[in-house]
Amino acid sequence: MSDMNEQPETLGADETKGSARHVRVVLVDDHRMFRTGVQAEIGRTDVTGVEVVGEAADVDQAVTVITATRPEVVLLDVHLPGGGGAEVLRRCASLMSAAENPVRFLALSVSDAAEDVIGVIRGGARGYVTKTITGTDLVDSIFRVQDGDAVFSPRLAGFVLDAFASTDAPPVDEDLDRLTQREREVLRLIARGYAYKEIAKQLFISVKTVESHVSAVLRKLQLSNRHELTRWATARRLV
């Protein structure tokens, strides 16, 4: 979905035949225009079989809407106000593990960072695709997740398998796990040398909010300044 301003692509005959299938979906993303674009591409229920039953822009809204609607699949952004996608997964753990009609999660994010992917998969998501995915492929991914399959964008599948299969994989980083998804994103950009204004523009937040995130990261990691943050992030290959 590289351009939400483009007209939704026309599904072919094979996809139209699949409209006999049906799946109820909740969209969770903090950018309203992106949610609108996704809805336009996949929400033509008579063609795609996808029924969008709810939307949410932050963690609290997501938990409320998911609990109320009990969709089969949730399209979940990784970076959300209120704790990120990992927090949504944590608070919806009982819905994911339900014996009947479990709620399944498919991460849909602009990020292809390893820590983001591993974090939500560890939290219980059934797959992870990036926002460059086409509407047709996203519909297919949603139905595959509904059926219980694990779905990943091709570029991500390799290192996900490596991370979980490797006998010498690094242990869970407790320091990193203290940070929210948004704090990790700010940390990574700080370590790459971005100024606060540049970070604010890239993440669609205020400079004051960036400053608050940096202060929280410094406090949680017991560091003193951005130079120490950069060394810390570089040592963990987060840059």
Side-chain angles (χ1 to χ4, degrees):
M1 272 171 253
S2 57
D3 189 346
M4 288 294 114
N5 293 319
E6 293 180 356
Q7 292 295 320
E9 62 182 284
T10 300
L11 299 181
D14 291 341
E15 290 84 352
T16 303
K17 291 177 182 178
S19 62
R21 302 181 299 174
H22 184 264
V23 59
R24 299 168 67 253
V25 171
V26 165
L27 305 178
V28 180
D29 193 287
D30 60 343
H31 294 104
R32 182 181 59 81
M33 290 184 65
F34 181 76
R35 296 198 310 273
T36 300
V38 173
Q39 169 79 276
E41 288 209 34
I42 72 172
R44 296 167 290 155
T45 309
D46 58 330
V47 176
T48 65
V50 176
E51 179 187 2
V52 178
V53 297
E55 298 183 14
D58 59 34
V59 169
D60 288 339
Q61 287 180 13
V63 174
T64 298
V65 171
I66 293 166
T67 302
T69 60
R70 292 295 294 265
E72 283 87 24
V73 177
V74 178
L75 289 180
L76 180 67
D77 192 14
V78 173
H79 300 139
L80 294 168
E87 179 64 12
V88 175
L89 291 165
R90 186 187 69 79
R91 291 169 61 178
C92 291
S94 62
L95 299 179
M96 287 189 286
S97 61
E100 295 184 5
N101 304 318
V103 177
R104 294 188 168 101
F105 288 78
L106 173 62
L108 175 63
S109 177
V110 69
S111 172
D112 60 0
E115 65 269 21
D116 288 339
V117 181
I118 302 298
V120 294
I121 298 304
R122 188 193 308 157
R126 294 293 304 175
Y128 194 115
V129 294
T130 61
K131 290 181 178 179
T132 57
I133 193 171
T134 66
T136 301
D137 287 343
L138 181 57
V139 169
D140 180 65
S141 296
I142 290 169
F143 278 108
R144 288 173 61 193
V145 167
Q146 181 192 30
D147 291 339
D149 292 343
V151 179
F152 297 95
S153 293
R155 184 176 179 277
L156 308 181
F159 70 71
V160 171
L161 291 172
D162 290 344
F164 284 91
S166 176
T167 56
D168 59 352
V172 173
D173 191 323
E174 294 182 0
D175 289 332
L176 187 61
D177 277 358
R178 292 193 185 99
L179 306 183
T180 67
Q181 293 293 340
R182 181 63 86 185
E183 288 168 352
R184 295 183 193 188
E185 186 66 22
V186 170
L187 167 63
R188 187 161 54 245
L189 293 174
I190 284 287
R192 290 175 179 173
Y194 284 71
Y196 285 6
K197 287 184 179 179
E198 294 172 322
I199 296 173
K201 182 177 181 180
Q202 182 158 335
L203 299 181
F204 301 98
I205 57 180
S206 69
V207 173
K208 186 175 181 180
T209 300
V210 174
E211 293 173 349
S212 296
H213 284 315
V214 172
S215 296
V217 171
L218 289 171
R219 183 180 68 255
K220 290 179 180 180
L221 300 181
Q222 299 182 0
L223 301 174
S224 301
N225 53 56
R226 66 180 297 160
H227 299 296
E228 291 184 1
L229 275 182
T230 300
R231 288 197 296 270
W232 190 93
T234 301
R236 286 162 173 77
R237 300 181 180 177
L238 301 180
V239 181

